[in-house]
Amino acid sequence: MGFFQYCVVRSLLQMPRKLRGSAVGGECLEPASTPARSRRHFSSSAAFRIQERTLIAVKPDGVQRRLVGDIIKRFEQRGFKLVGMKMLQAPEGVLADHYHDLRQKSFYPALIRYMSSGPLVAMVWEGYNVVGTSRAMVGETNSAEAKPGTIRGDFSIHMSRNVIHASDSVEVAQKEISLWFCSSELVDWDSNFYQV
Ligand code: TYD
């Protein structure tokens, strides 16, 4: 590495994380900035449709139980479009940002330990009403109350190992996507076969 590149890399590493972009790994130059509800697609059935994006994560228990494929399949079957995916060991700083609102709860330390206990698979899914529909597909936070047919209702019995995360509002989705992904990790692509 030349001296110039060394200086650039060093100054980037010294920047506050919020300025550098996505917290995950800290290597992104810009956060994922695509607003969750701003992408417009033209389709023959309606002039302009607003598309949403949401963050879905298969938690460490889901990865260890080999549920990643089953979970992806449900989102694909429903008709949503995968636009970003990565497997990673979540840095504690990212988890702290992600679960910032829960930091005073008694279960918070156990939650962070669980979420750090192994790799997870983070994904961004896109489609009409994807935030609300994916919450319905995921089911209740408390797995014991999650209905059969939902992901938690089919794959989990206890809230402390509830397999999957899904953003709970469009605004939260936007924040979570830019926390976990940078723009360059998200792929804009059009489907010629299925468009809603
Ligand atoms: P929360 O954001 O309230 O639920 P959700 O994941 O459905 O959006 O809580 C985050 C995670 O914290 C939840 O998935 C499991 C864990 N949790 C507990 O372990 N105990 C609890 O009492 C609650 C409410 C959550």
Side-chain angles (χ1 to χ4, degrees):
M1 185 189 301
F3 182 66
F4 176 69
Q5 284 106 315
Y6 169 76
C7 292
V8 170
V9 169
R10 223 185 128 188
S11 58
L12 282 173
L13 289 175
Q14 284 167 349
M15 257 186 212
R17 186 177 51 67
K18 295 260 186 260
L19 292 180
R20 281 206 315 268
S22 168
V24 179
E27 64 280 280
C28 299
L29 293 178
E30 78 295 344
S33 56
T34 312
R37 201 192 270 274
S38 71
R39 301 187 67 256
R40 290 179 172 80
H41 290 263
F42 184 79
S43 86
S44 54
S45 57
F48 283 99
R49 288 185 186 275
I50 310 292
Q51 295 285 314
E52 283 179 9
R53 286 181 172 182
T54 196
L55 182 85
I56 299 293
V58 182
K59 295 179 176 180
D61 54 331
V63 172
Q64 285 170 24
R65 292 174 54 202
R66 318 303 200 254
L67 296 177
V68 176
D70 282 318
I71 288 171
I72 288 176
K73 186 169 186 189
R74 290 187 180 216
F75 285 88
E76 285 197 329
Q77 271 180 339
R78 188 71 191 248
F80 293 122
K81 189 166 76 171
L82 183 62
V83 295
M85 178 163 74
K86 60 185 172 188
M87 182 181 226
L88 73 159
Q89 177 73 44
E92 284 210 12
V94 175
L95 292 174
D97 277 0
H98 183 88
Y99 286 125
H100 186 260
D101 292 349
L102 300 177
R103 68 194 181 288
Q104 309 291 4
K105 302 283 185 188
S106 58
F107 58 83
Y108 178 81
L111 174 63
I112 298 298
R113 269 199 309 281
Y114 156 51
M115 292 298 289
S116 317
S117 66
L120 51 77
V121 174
M123 296 176 272
V124 178
W125 287 87
E126 181 180 296
Y128 175 73
N129 198 37
V130 68
V131 174
T133 302
S134 57
R135 285 293 290 190
M137 290 165 67
V138 162
E140 294 291 321
T141 302
N142 185 353
S143 309
E145 291 168 9
K147 294 203 168 45
T150 64
I151 293 169
R152 287 170 174 164
D154 288 350
F155 295 126
S156 165
I157 54 173
H158 198 272
M159 176 153 52
S160 66
R161 296 289 181 274
N162 63 5
V163 169
I164 184 167
H165 167 80
S167 309
D168 63 7
S169 72
V170 171
E171 292 69 30
V172 168
Q174 212 170 316
K175 282 192 200 135
E176 291 182 347
I177 290 169
S178 57
L179 177 65
W180 289 88
F181 286 86
C182 10
S183 307
S184 57
E185 293 173 317
L186 301 179
V187 182
D188 281 323
W189 59 282
D190 285 321
S191 170
N192 296 319
F193 301 99
Y194 188 98
Q195 193 148 24
V196 174

